[in-house]
Amino acid sequence: TLDGVETQVSRLSKLAADLRKLADLETSPLERAPVDVAEVLREALALARERPEAADRRLTLTLPQAPWPLPTVAGDWDLLFLAVHNLLDNALKFTRPGDTIEVRAIEDGKVVTVEVADTGPGVSKDELPHVFEELYRGQGARGTEGSGLGLALVRAIVERHGGTVTVRSREGEGTVFTLHLPQS
């Protein structure tokens, strides 16, 4: 019984912390400094690779090398890291051993586009419009650890940076989350 109570207290504590982050995003001023998106992606992927489930998944990072590297975006390094971390966290939670998770980024006009793609089970068409809603957990997420706030945080972070986030998915094939962030 005590273990069950400790688990629920831990879950509620994380939920409260995530709700606080979401509220802070809506009210606190945003730090605006040049952020090296390539470095954010490298560090987020390095952290993801430390998770036990990463051992049996293929994680890759593709960054432009020629003719120039990715430009910077104006923003908060920690928040952008959190957004990418949350996407990688979801990809690790919802993929199976042997699946692939790809992180890719390109310069697209005056925007840096970042994609986190996986070969997991995908999201149903009915659930797709709701994935960024606070506390939303689709059928496939039942029984999987999480608060239902990770993607809402991603959306809030990206929008506070003047960007957009979209999702594409095919059931049984995988999912792609795309961040569009304005350059500095």
Side-chain angles (χ1 to χ4, degrees):
T1 304
L2 187 56
D3 286 342
V5 169
E6 286 177 356
T7 300
Q8 291 304 319
V9 167
S10 175
R11 189 179 73 74
L12 289 172
S13 177
K14 182 171 177 5
L15 178 63
D18 286 346
L19 284 169
R20 187 173 33 248
K21 283 180 206 167
L22 202 52
D24 286 348
L25 272 173
E26 294 172 359
T27 59
S28 299
L30 184 67
E31 181 181 322
R32 295 250 181 217
V35 175
D36 181 347
V37 176
E39 189 58 29
V40 168
L41 299 178
R42 281 188 207 96
E43 289 199 29
L45 199 62
L47 184 62
R49 284 184 171 131
E50 292 177 9
R51 296 212 5 213
E53 54 270 61
D56 55 14
R57 286 157 180 80
R58 186 170 162 253
L59 281 85
T60 63
L61 174 61
T62 305
L63 296 169
Q65 302 299 313
W68 50 79
L70 284 177
T72 61
V73 299
D76 183 304
W77 195 97
D78 291 328
L79 289 176
L80 291 171
F81 178 86
L82 178 61
V84 174
H85 174 269
N86 282 354
L87 292 176
L88 285 167
D89 183 58
N90 272 7
L92 285 168
K93 282 194 283 193
F94 295 108
T95 54
R96 303 162 300 250
D99 279 345
T100 297
I101 299 168
E102 293 181 355
V103 179
R104 333 179 255 259
I106 60 167
E107 177 184 2
D108 186 17
K110 295 197 179 286
V111 174
V112 173
T113 299
V114 175
E115 291 185 333
V116 177
D118 67 63
T119 58
V123 180
S124 76
K125 288 180 183 178
D126 296 340
E127 294 177 344
L128 216 47
H130 306 287
V131 296
F132 294 109
E133 294 174 7
E134 294 173 24
L135 303 175
Y136 181 77
R137 298 197 29 98
Q139 286 296 108
R142 307 284 153 84
T144 303
E145 184 180 322
S147 64
L149 289 173
L151 293 177
L153 274 168
V154 169
R155 183 190 67 210
I157 290 167
V158 172
E159 288 178 355
R160 281 298 308 270
H161 283 82
T164 59
V165 59
T166 58
V167 60
R168 305 183 316 273
S169 191
R170 293 183 186 166
E171 283 187 82
E173 293 183 48
T175 303
V176 180
F177 285 91
T178 305
L179 311 179
H180 300 281
L181 299 164
Q183 292 182 31
S184 297

